[in-house]
Amino acid sequence: MRFPKKGMLELFKELTSRDEQLDLDNLKETTGRLTQEYVGQFRTLFEQAGQETNEAELREALSDLLALFAGNHDPELFKRRLEFGRKLGVAEIPLEQLIKAYGSLFRCWFDERASVCHFSNKELQSLKYGAKSLFVDFGLHLLGYEGEIFNTRRVLTTVDVLTGLMSRRKFEEKLRQAIEFAKNTKTEFSLYYIDIDNLRLINDVHGYIIGDIVLENVAAHLQESFTDAFAIARIGDDELGVILMDMGPAEALTKAQLLCKSIAEMEIKPLDDDGIFITSSIGVASYPRNGQALDDLMLAAEVACITSKRKGRNRAQVVDAVSDDINPTVTHERILILREALSSKNDIVPFYQPIVDLETGEPVGYEVLARVKRGEKFLSAGLFVDAAEKSGLMQDIGKRVIEQAMKEKNSSWAKDKLFFINLSMREVESRDTIKFLADMVNRYGIDSREIVAEITERETVRDINAVHNFARELTELGVRLAVDDFGSGFSSFLYLRYFDCYFAKIEGSLVRDITRSGRSRMIVENMAKLLQKLSIEVVAEFVENSEVAKVLKNAGIRYGQGYYLGKPSRCPGKGS
């Protein structure tokens, strides 16, 4: 980062365009309080690290910081900041604590300067967060060697500036580590998904500055309450997360209930006025009981948190189920998540997994997969299939994803590539599906021959005539037909007998085992021969390593799909 030619005081003036209300050249009113807070915070940090310092040194460091902040680029000033930065580095003060300290100092400065302006909460929020990262840049300047500038962008991906806790990205990294450790040691752990009840209302009534103070107080309370936590993070606007190792669901729930009580007993007095009392809703998930993958555990904890809010807030909840798929509470909450996602234009989106020519390694097409956006994460729609079917939302989700995919079919990376779209048996039997596909093809100017409709083998054929009519109308439209999960049951052989299938995708569990099971290998090879004699192109699913790909090529199978060949991504052409 390069320091701006203009100081932050000048930027503040430009952003507000209310020069007459601000005496920006006079910092005396603010400096006294700021100096006291700076000296106190950094003396504590140095003492915790076993380092000695004196008040004069700390006051000089603050003076230099404010000078940088005001736009003074004197070389001697930079040199002194470098020396102070190295001292912080030598003391091995945790980065989270430094960012929290500088964030607190910025708030102190900002609140006093902004108090003389009559800004809206929205204006203050925008200005505050825009300037805070720059202030942190100045504060952490060169915690290394001369000639290098501290990479704040990297820092801000791992640390939340406001609270000093880990960021969501860092939390997920720690969660992956916890999963790996628990898997290897055959132990368990739990995580909390903590939502501060009505924080948005506090922001609306009292302002974002007060809301920030609430968040900081709760974050500090979590750090005091869980000194041995594996990770504590801010994972959303008003959500926090905690990972507790070697702790099962029963103990985790008990501790979460105590945490709820202690948060409710907090009294926060941000302006020395009447205190603000808050409550929290906590969702508890445990490994391996509620999942063995990151997305499953996070979703289970979030569902439990939503459940606790719907039960009245100020409580902790654990999803108590051996199988979430048959648990009515989990299904209900997943239905609510799906409905919320459908109400937004951008929360259900298509991802694309390549289908690759095994000989050339080049993609010939992509399977269109639905993803549900939750915060910064995209969750597999497979987690919601049961909920979608029980709630009748499957068709709405399918239409949303297909239409978005059709819009993106004209992108450069998708040109001349096949798009494989999944259709449920309910969609196949519906008269509206063909009309919808025809409308999409015409509206977005798509070559219908580049669209492949997949009918899954796993669903029972209830009306063979309806499927026959659907296949005939697909052919008339120019859309090709594929049988998905071929070999998992007997329905696919009916398809081969009655319908003109262009592709058949061999069921993944058979493919995955072909290097370990001679029987699976024989089944796959003979299925491929049968399909090839019927002039049906074969796609092998679950290609997870080079050995499987080699066996498939030797069997004459042309196309493959799986993580070895390419993972699902939002925009394949951009490498995302």
Side-chain angles (χ1 to χ4, degrees):
M1 170 194 166
R2 293 181 178 178
F3 287 106
K5 293 180 180 179
K6 296 179 179 179
M8 280 306 304
L9 295 177
E10 295 176 69
L11 293 177
F12 189 92
K13 182 187 292 185
E14 287 186 7
L15 285 168
T16 60
S17 301
R18 302 178 185 184
D19 308 357
E20 71 281 358
Q21 299 181 29
L22 300 172
D23 181 12
L24 293 174
D25 297 321
N26 185 356
L27 287 173
K28 290 181 180 178
E29 295 178 8
T30 307
T31 301
R33 177 181 163 195
L34 192 63
T35 300
Q36 182 179 358
E37 188 162 336
Y38 188 97
V39 170
Q41 287 198 35
F42 279 85
R43 180 186 290 121
T44 300
L45 289 177
F46 277 117
E47 287 174 354
Q48 289 175 348
Q51 295 283 318
E52 293 184 1
T53 188
N54 57 64
E55 186 158 333
E57 181 184 23
L58 292 173
R59 284 177 176 273
E60 182 182 55
L62 173 64
S63 176
D64 290 343
L65 176 62
L66 288 175
L68 278 173
F69 197 57
N72 185 340
H73 298 167
D74 182 81
E76 288 299 316
L77 185 149
F78 272 92
K79 184 177 179 181
R80 289 196 300 271
R81 282 301 298 169
L82 278 173
E83 292 170 354
F84 187 71
R86 290 198 185 97
K87 183 163 186 173
L88 291 173
V90 170
E92 296 185 354
I93 294 171
L95 190 57
E96 291 87 351
Q97 292 189 35
L98 286 173
I99 289 182
K100 184 177 180 181
Y102 280 118
S104 174
L105 290 167
F106 174 80
R107 191 189 76 228
C108 176
W109 178 87
F110 183 90
D111 290 354
E112 290 205 6
R113 302 313 304 165
S115 63
V116 298
C117 302
H118 302 290
F119 298 142
S120 69
N121 282 333
K122 187 174 182 180
E123 288 174 317
L124 285 173
Q125 182 78 339
S126 176
L127 179 61
K128 183 172 185 178
Y129 286 106
K132 178 176 285 188
S133 63
L134 287 176
F135 191 90
V136 172
D137 252 337
F138 290 128
L140 296 174
H141 174 60
L142 279 170
L143 292 179
Y145 303 96
E146 192 168 357
E148 297 179 7
I149 294 179
F150 193 84
N151 188 347
T152 303
R153 291 181 183 177
R154 180 179 61 80
V155 173
L156 297 183
T157 64
T158 60
V159 181
D160 174 58
V161 175
L162 175 65
T163 62
L165 300 178
M166 294 178 186
S167 66
R168 181 174 181 121
R169 180 179 295 184
K170 184 67 174 177
F171 184 78
E172 290 179 350
E173 180 184 317
K174 298 287 282 186
L175 182 54
R176 289 188 185 93
Q177 293 173 7
I179 291 170
E180 191 65 27
F181 177 81
K183 187 183 298 183
N184 293 335
T185 59
K186 308 298 182 185
T187 56
E188 55 188 354
F189 70 88
S190 296
L191 68 93
Y192 294 162
Y193 192 104
I194 304 166
D195 187 290
I196 301 175
D197 295 331
N198 299 316
L199 184 61
R200 292 180 184 176
L201 180 61
I202 292 173
N203 286 332
D204 291 341
V205 174
H206 300 284
Y208 284 100
I209 292 173
I210 306 304
D212 287 350
I213 294 172
V214 169
L215 266 170
E216 289 177 309
N217 276 265
V218 176
H221 182 70
L222 289 179
Q223 290 175 311
E224 293 170 4
S225 302
F226 299 103
T227 56
D228 58 345
F230 185 63
I232 304 176
R234 184 182 179 191
I235 57 177
D237 289 340
D238 48 8
E239 295 95 18
L240 305 164
V242 179
I243 300 175
L244 301 170
M245 301 302 293
D246 198 26
M247 186 176 294
E251 184 182 0
L253 180 60
T254 300
K255 286 185 177 291
Q257 290 167 340
L258 292 173
L259 177 61
C260 268
K261 183 179 179 182
S262 64
I263 290 175
E265 292 172 350
M266 293 173 61
E267 184 180 11
I268 302 170
K269 293 186 175 182
L271 301 175
D272 296 325
D273 296 329
D274 294 336
I276 294 177
F277 292 91
I278 58 171
T279 59
S280 62
S281 300
I282 303 178
V284 182
S286 298
Y287 174 95
R289 182 180 180 84
N290 300 117
Q292 299 182 41
L294 184 147
D295 288 346
D296 293 341
L297 285 168
M298 288 293 288
L299 179 63
E302 185 177 2
V303 165
C305 180
I306 293 171
T307 303
S308 67
K309 291 177 79 70
R310 296 190 186 280
K311 286 186 175 182
R313 299 185 171 90
N314 192 25
R315 67 189 68 216
Q317 180 78 31
V318 61
V319 177
D320 186 16
V322 176
S323 173
D324 287 350
D325 291 335
I326 61 174
N327 183 281
T329 301
V330 174
T331 300
H332 175 68
E333 298 304 343
R334 289 180 179 177
I335 290 171
L336 293 174
I337 289 173
L338 286 177
R339 285 177 175 160
E340 181 182 334
L342 282 168
S343 68
S344 169
K345 292 183 178 180
N346 304 311
D347 283 354
I348 294 181
V349 297
F351 268 49
Y352 303 93
Q353 185 171 23
I355 294 170
V356 172
D357 186 319
L358 294 174
E359 194 63 44
T360 65
E362 293 297 318
V364 296
Y366 298 93
E367 180 175 358
V368 179
L369 303 168
R371 290 290 185 267
V372 180
K373 191 173 187 295
R374 295 294 289 172
E376 298 177 356
K377 292 289 294 182
F378 291 94
L379 303 179
S380 169
L383 295 169
F384 300 88
V385 168
D386 186 61
E389 290 178 344
K390 289 182 178 178
S391 61
L393 297 175
M394 186 69 83
Q395 286 179 277
D396 292 334
I397 294 169
K399 285 184 176 181
R400 175 75 61 85
V401 170
I402 290 170
E403 180 163 8
Q404 184 63 30
M406 294 301 104
K407 289 180 183 178
E408 296 170 355
K409 183 67 179 70
N410 294 317
S411 303
S412 58
W413 58 267
K415 185 176 177 60
D416 300 325
K417 298 292 191 296
L418 300 173
F419 267 21
F420 288 69
I421 59 175
N422 292 282
L423 298 175
S424 67
M425 192 53 61
R426 186 175 296 180
E427 290 170 306
V428 169
E429 294 171 353
S430 170
R431 297 293 302 170
D432 293 334
T433 301
I434 291 292
K435 294 178 182 177
F436 172 73
L437 291 176
D439 178 53
M440 292 296 101
V441 167
N442 294 328
R443 183 184 303 180
Y444 298 109
I446 296 166
D447 184 346
S448 60
R449 293 171 298 178
E450 294 181 357
I451 306 301
V452 181
E454 291 188 25
I455 302 177
T456 181
E457 152 74 32
R458 289 182 178 144
E459 294 186 77
T460 303
V461 178
R462 295 174 296 186
D463 187 344
I464 194 69
N465 290 325
V467 180
H468 189 276
N469 290 333
F470 178 81
R472 177 178 51 78
E473 291 173 341
L474 269 187
T475 301
E476 293 172 358
L477 183 60
V479 173
R480 303 176 188 183
L481 182 66
V483 181
D484 194 14
D485 296 319
F486 185 85
S488 62
F490 294 105
S491 300
S492 50
F493 291 99
L494 286 176
Y495 298 154
L496 298 188
R497 180 179 177 185
Y498 291 109
F499 313 129
D500 185 15
C501 300
Y502 197 94
F503 292 95
K505 299 177 77 173
I506 296 180
E507 208 274 326
S509 64
L510 292 170
V511 175
R512 186 167 47 193
D513 289 340
I514 61 175
T515 58
R516 300 189 294 266
S517 167
R519 182 168 292 187
S520 292
R521 182 169 179 168
M522 188 181 299
I523 292 172
V524 169
E525 289 174 344
N526 282 281
M527 276 185 175
K529 289 177 182 178
L530 169 65
L531 293 167
Q532 289 159 356
K533 285 182 179 180
L534 293 171
S535 299
I536 296 173
E537 294 284 3
V538 182
V539 180
E541 298 182 297
F542 282 46
V543 182
E544 297 179 345
N545 55 59
S546 59
E547 290 79 10
V548 170
K550 184 177 180 180
V551 171
L552 294 171
K553 280 196 293 184
N554 291 339
I557 294 175
R558 185 175 178 184
Y559 302 119
Q561 179 181 1
Y563 275 22
Y564 171 69
L565 302 171
K567 295 182 180 180
S569 61
R570 183 68 188 92
C571 295
K574 298 180 180 179
S576 58

